């Protein structure tokens, strides 16, 4: 019998890529999404349940209908700039919503839970390489909200036997190599998609947020990981939970850092387009350097990233950006 996996945020960037991989691996991904930031046309690999995660009755109905064996919880707000301006939204839409979901899953006896956390839970750590044991000291409400949910999962594990895998993503980039899914946000705030919008002529310039960081070229350094590699880790995490294990945190990064300037330069060469840049002030809430120094996912899950070179990520994202046609808004 096909096993169902409830995928919150299955209409979003990472969630839709994961639904494709789940379907290919023989699971039925059931997308639960409010379409606040996701896209109806991204739901192509299984059934769609539209709903708000804070609506417990709606969640109970969905758990009863599909009896999922596991939850993959991608749905979240994830913009640092917005989190600095409107932290309340992050506590409501990330933390409250996750609590309702975790309570509904526990009540339904669906105890295998994979959660998308982030390197933003670390804050600014003086440029050291980060691993699962690094201290967490978030400097924005996005990171703080994700850390709170990590704590919640630990407590529900202790009290109710919930088995969780927490993935702390570094900067996820790239797109499905077959260009069936891609990264689209409205408004777009992430570096590589904005670079591609400028390369295509859709946006006139890219603003570099700060050139006075304590890094070699003064711009922030990030560790980019290909969405396909990230999705592979989720399938391995699911198998790991199916084998009866759980309550483990894994960092998912490539282990290589690139500055904002380096990413722009690489994109200029790969797209063969000019990418005009202006330098602006720092964006509040940004850490100077976030790079993973962890090998735990490789050692314990057998995870081997294969597409996380900057070339593959920019090339795949550019192909998806150029070939997929997304409407400006979701139909109501
Ligand atoms: N960034 C930038 N200009 C932009 C968007 C992002 O300089 O228009 C920088 C941002 O300050 C950060 C890096 O690119 O240092 C990655 O930002 P993004 O929002 O893509 O991901 P985050 O690191 O916040 O998860």
């Amino acid at each position: 019998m096909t096993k169902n996996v409830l995928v919150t945020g299955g209409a979003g960037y990472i969630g839709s890529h994961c639904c494709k991989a789940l379907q290919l691996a023989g699971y039925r991904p059931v997308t639960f999404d409010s379409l606040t930031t996701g896209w109806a046309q991204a739901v192509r690999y299984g059934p769609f349940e539209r709903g708000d995660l804070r609506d417990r009755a709606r969640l109970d109905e969905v758990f009863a209908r599909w009896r999922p064996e596991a939850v993959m919880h991608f749905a979240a707000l994830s913009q640092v700039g917005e989190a600095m301006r409107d932290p309340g939204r992050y506590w409501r839409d990330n933390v409250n919503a996750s609590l309702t979901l975790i309570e509904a899953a526990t009540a339904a006896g669906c105890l295998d839970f994979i959660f998308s956390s982030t390197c933003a839970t670390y804050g600014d750590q003086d440029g050291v390489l980060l691993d699962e044991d690094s201290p967490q000291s978030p400097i924005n409400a996005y990171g703080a909200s994700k850390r709170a949910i990590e704590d919640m999962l630990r407590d529900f594990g202790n009290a109710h036997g919930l088995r969780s895998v927490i993935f702390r993503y570094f900067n996820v980039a790239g797109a499905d190599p077959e260009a069936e899914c891609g990264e689209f946000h409205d408004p777009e705030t992430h570096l590589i998609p904005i670079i591609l919008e400028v390369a295509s002529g859709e946006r006139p310039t890219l603003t570099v947020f700060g050139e006075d960081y304590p890094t070699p070229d003064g711009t922030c350094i990030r560790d980019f990981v290909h969405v396909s590699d990230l999705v592979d880790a989720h399938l391995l995490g699911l198998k790991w939970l199916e084998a009866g294990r759980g309550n483990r945190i894994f960092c998912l990064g490539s282990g290589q850092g690139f500055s904002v300037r380096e990413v722009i330069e690489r994109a200029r060469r790969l797209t063969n387009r000019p990418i005009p840049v202006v330098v602006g002030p720092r964006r509040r809430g940004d850490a100077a350097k976030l790079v993973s120094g962890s090998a735990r996912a490789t050692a314990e899950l057998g995870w081997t990233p294969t597409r996380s070179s900057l070339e593959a990520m920019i090339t795949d994202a550019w192909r998806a950006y150029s070939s997929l046609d997304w409407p400006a808004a979701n139909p109501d």
Side-chain angles (χ1 to χ4, degrees):
M1 228 176 66
T2 307
K3 291 176 174 171
N4 295 335
V5 177
L6 187 70
V7 182
T8 75
Y13 168 43
I14 303 169
S16 60
H17 285 78
C18 206
C19 285
K20 178 175 176 179
L22 281 166
Q23 191 201 48
L24 277 171
Y27 295 90
R28 181 184 294 111
V30 179
T31 289
F32 188 94
D33 202 298
S34 65
L35 299 185
T36 308
T37 57
W39 303 93
Q41 62 272 42
V43 186
R44 302 171 52 179
Y45 307 102
F48 181 29
E49 296 279 4
R50 188 169 179 174
D52 187 318
L53 281 175
R54 287 167 298 176
D55 182 347
R56 174 65 190 268
R58 178 81 183 105
L59 278 172
D60 286 346
E61 192 181 287
V62 168
F63 274 103
R65 179 172 308 144
W66 296 103
R67 305 194 174 284
E69 70 143 30
V71 175
M72 290 192 181
H73 180 29
F74 296 99
L77 299 173
S78 62
Q79 297 174 11
V80 169
E82 180 190 53
M84 296 304 289
R85 289 190 302 276
D86 189 1
R89 246 198 116 187
Y90 281 70
W91 288 94
R92 268 193 315 276
D93 287 12
N94 287 356
V95 180
N96 280 0
S98 297
L99 176 59
T100 310
L101 172 67
I102 291 167
E103 286 184 323
T106 310
C110 175
L111 297 178
D112 286 356
F113 200 101
I114 299 185
F115 173 57
S116 310
S117 190
T118 167
C119 61
T121 57
Y122 293 115
D124 218 344
Q125 303 267 348
D126 243 357
V128 295
L129 296 183
L130 300 162
D131 66 23
E132 294 79 5
D133 299 320
S134 301
Q136 290 173 295
S137 185
I139 55 173
N140 56 60
Y142 167 55
S145 70
K146 290 285 187 169
R147 189 185 59 173
I149 301 161
E150 289 191 4
D151 290 348
M152 212 183 271
L153 288 169
R154 182 203 55 219
D155 293 346
F156 275 72
N158 290 335
H160 304 300
L162 190 75
R163 289 180 296 272
S164 63
V165 164
I166 293 172
F167 286 127
R168 286 191 192 141
Y169 303 166
F170 284 68
N171 284 60
V172 188
D176 175 32
E178 292 164 355
E180 280 183 24
C181 350
E183 178 173 14
F184 299 92
H185 300 105
D186 184 20
E188 189 52 77
T189 65
H190 292 106
L191 180 65
I192 292 180
I194 290 183
I195 287 175
L196 299 182
E197 286 182 9
V198 177
S200 75
E202 196 178 308
R203 194 190 273 254
T205 51
L206 168 86
T207 304
V208 172
F209 295 143
E211 247 188 349
D212 57 348
Y213 284 94
T215 59
D217 66 16
T219 63
C220 291
I221 294 177
R222 292 289 181 273
D223 172 338
F224 296 87
V225 56
H226 197 295
V227 65
S228 297
D229 286 333
L230 196 88
V231 158
D232 285 348
H234 284 68
L235 289 209
L236 291 167
L238 188 57
K239 296 279 175 221
W240 204 75
L241 288 170
E242 284 171 357
R245 288 168 288 205
N247 304 327
R248 197 82 171 132
I249 296 169
F250 299 96
C251 288
L252 297 180
S254 69
Q256 264 194 298
F258 293 96
S259 73
V260 170
R261 281 279 185 197
E262 285 172 320
V263 178
I264 297 166
E265 204 36 60
R266 204 67 65 93
R268 282 194 182 116
R269 272 191 277 137
L270 289 167
T271 61
N272 208 16
R273 303 277 177 96
I275 299 175
V277 157
V278 293
V279 177
R282 290 184 180 196
R283 183 175 68 179
R284 286 197 309 141
D286 268 341
K289 179 177 170 185
L290 292 169
V291 180
S292 164
S294 169
R296 182 185 285 178
T298 300
E300 296 186 18
L301 296 178
W303 180 59
T304 318
T306 57
R307 291 191 78 82
S308 292
S309 69
L310 209 45
E311 280 72 14
M313 288 184 278
I314 294 173
T315 305
D316 289 346
W318 183 233
R319 190 183 312 109
Y321 178 83
S322 312
S323 60
L324 288 170
D325 192 19
W326 297 82
N330 277 304
D332 276 327

